[in-house]
Amino acid sequence: MKFILILTGILLGLALLLVLLVLFCPVRYSAEAVKKAGNIRDAAARVRISWLFGGISVRFLMRQDKRKSDLRIFGISLSRLFHKKKKKRTATSPGATENETVPAKKAETYGEFPAGMGDMQTAERLTEDRENHAGTVSECVDEEKVDADRTEKSHADSRSQDKEEKSVLPVRKIRNISTSFRGILNRILESLRNIRDTIRNIALKIREVYDEIDWWKELIQHPRVKAGIAHIKKEAKLLLRHVLPRKTEGYVTFGSEDPSVTGAVLAVLGMTMPLHKNCVEIRPVFESRNLLEGKVKIKGRIYGIIPLVILIRLYFDKNIKYIISRWKNKED
């Protein structure tokens, strides 16, 4: 019992330590991007994410269309270990098997015919060929006669059929015209019915859309819903401030042949001022040439306790529970 209690205590202590590390040991990240004047392929970027005071880290490197990633645990590179194991396996794998020599088949030897046998056989074959040829000629003549009789009969039958069809043609034309006219009338009636049904369906869909808009208006204008949305915005701002990098530095130099394009890019980059708080120096160049170079570094950290606290606050908010219940009732 003492051993079991000691073991359970150790396991609980390790679990508690792991939870505390997840909540209070920050996940740190850093990134760096460099671009020199010239081709866009000369750009390079590096990203590093670490946890447990750098004991566990992941690194990503991109340079000239080459990408590398490395996972390290307490300074030991797992990618290198896997690479070494692959090399050992390929080195210890058995070599290619020797080419098996397939014995050549012995040529079959046939005995020679005795003298005089060859001439007798050739004479017999010639006589058989003559007889077969004569028989085939006679068969071909008979078949030609039979085919001629058949063609004469078929011509006579076709003439009689043409006479009969000429007498029946006017009646068939009248019938075909009447059936085609009936088919056209039926199609017109079906199209009118389909138009009526489509108009009804469109009206029903428009009513459904209006009902949906009215439901959303009523939901958004409700005071409890407004309070819940305001709470969500407040917590989202806190989480964004916590996640965004705490240290940013660098510069960006850019220019274009068209000065208006340079001005438009400068306006867009000016919108990013709240994110880096003017820590990145922006240098526009109005010299009618294409230019892009710079260097930017960012660093930050994320504590696990902050997102957990925010989720707990949102979960126990009564206004958010009211929004969820209204949404569920709408789906039902």
Side-chain angles (χ1 to χ4, degrees), residues 241-296:
R241 287 178 186 174
H242 179 69
V243 171
L244 284 175
R246 292 191 168 262
K247 186 178 180 181
T248 306
E249 60 182 2
Y251 69 93
V252 176
T253 305
F254 68 95
S256 177
E257 294 179 354
D258 189 358
S260 62
V261 175
T262 305
V265 174
L266 182 62
V268 172
L269 292 175
M271 297 171 64
T272 62
M273 293 284 287
L275 297 176
H276 56 80
K277 297 178 181 179
N278 203 17
C279 293
V280 178
E281 186 181 356
I282 298 171
R283 306 171 187 172
V285 177
F286 296 94
E287 295 180 358
S288 299
R289 58 169 181 158
N290 293 322
L291 178 65
L292 178 60
E293 62 178 0
K295 184 178 181 181
V296 180

Side-chain angles (χ1 to χ4, degrees), residues 201-219:
N201 293 326
I202 290 167
L204 290 172
K205 287 181 180 179
I206 291 168
R207 287 178 186 175
E208 289 177 358
V209 170
Y210 275 113
D211 293 337
E212 189 78 15
I213 292 167
D214 293 335
W215 187 87
W216 279 106
K217 282 183 179 178
E218 184 183 355
L219 180 66

Side-chain angles (χ1 to χ4, degrees), residues 141-207:
V141 172
D142 296 335
E143 287 179 356
E144 287 178 356
K145 291 180 180 179
V146 172
D147 291 333
D149 296 335
R150 286 178 182 175
T151 51
E152 289 178 358
K153 289 181 181 179
S154 63
H155 284 304
D157 294 334
S158 63
R159 288 171 186 172
S160 61
Q161 286 178 1
D162 291 335
K163 290 179 181 179
E164 291 176 357
E165 286 179 356
K166 286 179 181 179
S167 61
V168 179
L169 273 175
V171 179
R172 286 184 178 177
K173 285 182 179 179
I174 294 166
R175 288 179 182 176
N176 291 328
I177 291 166
S178 62
T179 53
S180 62
F181 185 70
R182 287 177 185 174
I184 291 166
L185 287 176
N186 291 325
R187 289 175 185 174
I188 292 167
L189 293 173
E190 287 179 359
S191 62
L192 292 173
R193 291 173 186 173
N194 292 326
I195 290 166
R196 185 179 62 185
D197 294 334
T198 52
I199 291 168
R200 286 179 181 177
N201 293 326
I202 290 167
L204 290 172
K205 287 181 180 179
I206 291 168
R207 287 178 186 175

